[in-house]
Amino acid sequence: MLEVATVSLDEILNQIKISCQIPSVIEGILTRKIISQTAQEIGIEVEPEELQQAADNLRLMNNLTSADATWSWLQKHSLSLDEFEELVYYTVISSKLAQYLFVDKVEPFFVEHQIDYAQVVMYEVVLDDFDLAIELFYALGEGEMSFHEIAHQYIQDTELRRKGGYRGILSRADLKPEISAAVFAATPPQVVKPILTSIGAHLILVEEVIEPQLDEMLRLKILSDLFSQWLKQQIEPISGFAATFMEN
């Protein structure tokens, strides 16, 4: 039986190194520094009620419904109460900085990139034989077979076969470029002419193309994307230097 051993800070650092996590750790440190410094320069202030709300949200996200559960979570992550408050503070200033920098840029960005946020509801059967895919495509057009029948006959994966080849609601980023170009140009409901990729011949039924709406969820996503892109631009010039300095 293994003896219980104390894990030292040096061992933790070594584990981070051999797990190849040093770059992500450095990026996290630099991100926190950039956010804190920029927020201070701008003069962003955090109100007590904002900290309380953020702390409540954090506890809710981690299912910390009691003081004992919260304390156990802190111990698990080796966090003191002060460090927990620091985590909450960082969450608040990150959100407020993102709002300050990009809240007015969300709508113009959406208008410019609206096409990227469209979604498609589709069914798909991937075949090894392109000629067979063409044959089935024309059989569908003539009404000789239904897409469900083709899916039931040719899909090997049990769960996907049971769903009739249903792939769900997908965005352009979820699809190969040659496939997204075809499905988003379709007039639903429409079976797209088979598309050949490295995976095989794709026979696709486009059930619906969902035009994007700038709702609250999409606003938050665009805001987060813009903020992340900005952070990446701030980090890139200094991340290599920081890694070299740490090694030395």
Side-chain angles (χ1 to χ4, degrees), residues 83-144:
E83 288 165 337
F84 177 75
E85 291 175 354
E86 181 182 351
L87 173 60
V88 171
Y89 176 80
Y90 172 73
T91 301
V92 174
I93 63 167
S94 296
S95 176
K96 296 189 75 168
L97 179 59
Q99 289 282 339
Y100 178 90
L101 293 174
F102 297 109
V103 70
D104 294 332
K105 296 179 174 61
V106 169
E107 191 163 339
F109 183 89
F110 170 74
V111 172
E112 184 178 352
H113 299 86
Q114 188 168 348
I115 190 173
D116 296 328
Y117 294 98
Q119 295 177 303
V120 63
V121 180
M122 57 177 270
Y123 295 75
E124 181 182 48
V125 177
V126 182
L127 302 148
D128 295 330
D129 188 335
F130 185 74
D131 291 335
L132 174 60
I134 291 290
E135 181 182 331
L136 294 172
F137 171 74
Y138 285 114
L140 283 166
E142 295 295 328
E144 297 173 3

Side-chain angles (χ1 to χ4, degrees), residues 223-238:
L223 184 70
S224 176
D225 290 345
L226 291 173
F227 189 49
S228 296
Q229 184 179 4
W230 176 80
L231 282 171
K232 184 177 180 180
Q233 292 171 346
Q234 307 306 306
I235 289 171
E236 280 180 349
I238 56 178

Side-chain angles (χ1 to χ4, degrees), residues 188-235:
Q190 179 183 341
V191 177
V192 177
K193 193 170 182 179
I195 304 165
L196 187 62
T197 71
S198 58
I199 298 175
H202 301 252
L203 187 62
I204 297 170
L205 167 61
V206 179
E207 182 177 86
E208 181 184 1
V209 173
I210 305 172
E211 297 300 329
Q213 300 293 326
L214 189 56
D215 55 18
E216 188 60 27
M217 185 175 296
L218 185 52
R219 282 183 182 276
L220 290 175
K221 181 183 184 323
I222 293 174
L223 184 70
S224 176
D225 290 345
L226 291 173
F227 189 49
S228 296
Q229 184 179 4
W230 176 80
L231 282 171
K232 184 177 180 180
Q233 292 171 346
Q234 307 306 306
I235 289 171

Side-chain angles (χ1 to χ4, degrees), residues 73-85:
W73 185 84
L74 290 173
Q75 288 183 314
K76 176 182 177 181
H77 295 282
S78 299
L79 291 171
S80 66
L81 201 54
D82 286 343
E83 288 165 337
F84 177 75
E85 291 175 354

